[in-house]
Amino acid sequence: VNLCKIPPNKTSLLEDWGSFVFTDENTYIMKILDNIKTVVMEKKRSVLLISNSIVKGKEFYDILVKEYKENVMQYFTDDDKKTIEKILDEQKIIVATNIAGRGTDIKISEKLERNGGLHVIVTFLPINQRIEDQNYGRAGRKGQKGSHILIMLYENEFGHLEKDQLNVDNIKKI
């Protein structure tokens, strides 16, 4: 069957902040925390952090809630859907799993849009391009501004990355 890619109705203003692979878990976590600090505190934007499991997501949630307190929300199951029902204002952090990447419509405030929109951090290598695109697609929707970054570990609870997974031009192995 022949396929063709149909472009979206509105041009995306999504910025790609790159992809990073870390061999050390502490450095990996520090890169994620530094990225969040830059986005939330300096740029006055909000972050959607997507992890590959509820266990890993809760680890990030526990770390972030110590510093950002009530500005941190979780979205791991359908029961957490209330997290994204309100309009997202600036300086908020949503820690989620792939559930947030599948058709979730996160509405952002006008102030957040003026500050640069939602920033998506994916903390693992998605199994295919469609899932990666879905995750990144939570930001920059409907012609809004937004950005995304991929920060992952070379070795994680599911094993290690294969050589062919690292043959992407814009991935920096650190």
Side-chain angles (χ1 to χ4, degrees), residues 101-102 126-135:
R102 292 188 301 267
I127 59 172
N128 60 45
Q129 188 66 47
R130 179 187 56 82
I131 292 173
E132 188 173 342
D133 291 344
Q134 284 178 338
N135 288 333

Side-chain angles (χ1 to χ4, degrees), residues 26-40:
N26 290 331
T27 309
Y28 158 78
I29 291 170
M30 289 309 300
K31 175 68 173 179
I32 291 169
L33 296 177
D34 287 346
N35 191 259
I36 290 171
K37 183 177 181 180
T38 298
V39 171
V40 172

Side-chain angles (χ1 to χ4, degrees), residues 1-172:
V1 175
N2 291 331
L3 298 174
C4 68
K5 193 165 189 165
I6 299 173
N9 183 28
K10 294 186 178 183
T11 304
S12 174
L13 301 173
L14 196 58
E15 292 178 55
D16 183 350
W17 286 24
S19 301
F20 300 86
V21 178
F22 292 92
T23 54
D24 174 65
E25 186 165 11
N26 290 331
T27 309
Y28 158 78
I29 291 170
M30 289 309 300
K31 175 68 173 179
I32 291 169
L33 296 177
D34 287 346
N35 191 259
I36 290 171
K37 183 177 181 180
T38 298
V39 171
V40 172
M41 302 308 289
E42 296 173 20
K43 298 185 181 289
K44 307 283 191 245
R45 294 173 61 193
S46 289
V47 169
L48 172 61
L49 183 132
I50 301 177
S51 64
N52 60 347
S53 69
I54 292 175
V55 171
K56 197 66 175 168
K58 287 189 179 198
E59 288 175 17
F60 282 118
Y61 178 84
D62 291 342
I63 292 168
L64 291 166
V65 82
K66 289 176 187 171
E67 177 147 356
Y68 299 98
K69 301 179 182 25
E70 69 276 351
N71 290 339
V72 183
M73 301 165 275
Q74 63 184 20
Y75 182 37
F76 299 130
T77 67
D78 284 333
D79 293 338
D80 298 327
K81 203 162 186 95
K82 63 186 176 302
T83 297
I84 58 155
E85 289 176 347
K86 296 179 183 172
I87 293 176
L88 187 65
D89 210 1
E90 71 276 0
Q91 294 185 291
K92 303 293 183 192
I93 303 166
I94 301 171
V95 182
T97 58
N98 261 342
I99 194 169
R102 292 188 301 267
T104 303
D105 188 16
I106 300 173
K107 297 166 190 73
I108 66 172
S109 70
E110 288 181 22
K111 190 170 185 181
L112 179 54
E113 167 73 12
R114 283 193 305 271
N115 292 351
L118 182 64
H119 180 67
V120 176
I121 302 172
V122 177
T123 64
F124 65 99
L125 184 64
I127 59 172
N128 60 45
Q129 188 66 47
R130 179 187 56 82
I131 292 173
E132 188 173 342
D133 291 344
Q134 284 178 338
N135 288 333
Y136 293 157
R138 299 310 97 206
R141 297 178 61 109
K142 302 173 187 164
Q144 296 173 327
K145 296 177 187 172
S147 56
H148 64 86
I149 189 169
L150 177 64
I151 304 172
M152 62 189 152
L153 266 175
Y154 176 73
E155 186 100 22
N156 62 43
E157 66 266 32
F158 301 112
H160 64 274
L161 298 173
E162 300 296 327
K163 287 187 187 236
D164 63 332
Q165 292 174 302
L166 293 174
N167 288 340
V168 179
D169 293 336
N170 64 342
I171 290 183
K172 301 174 186 109

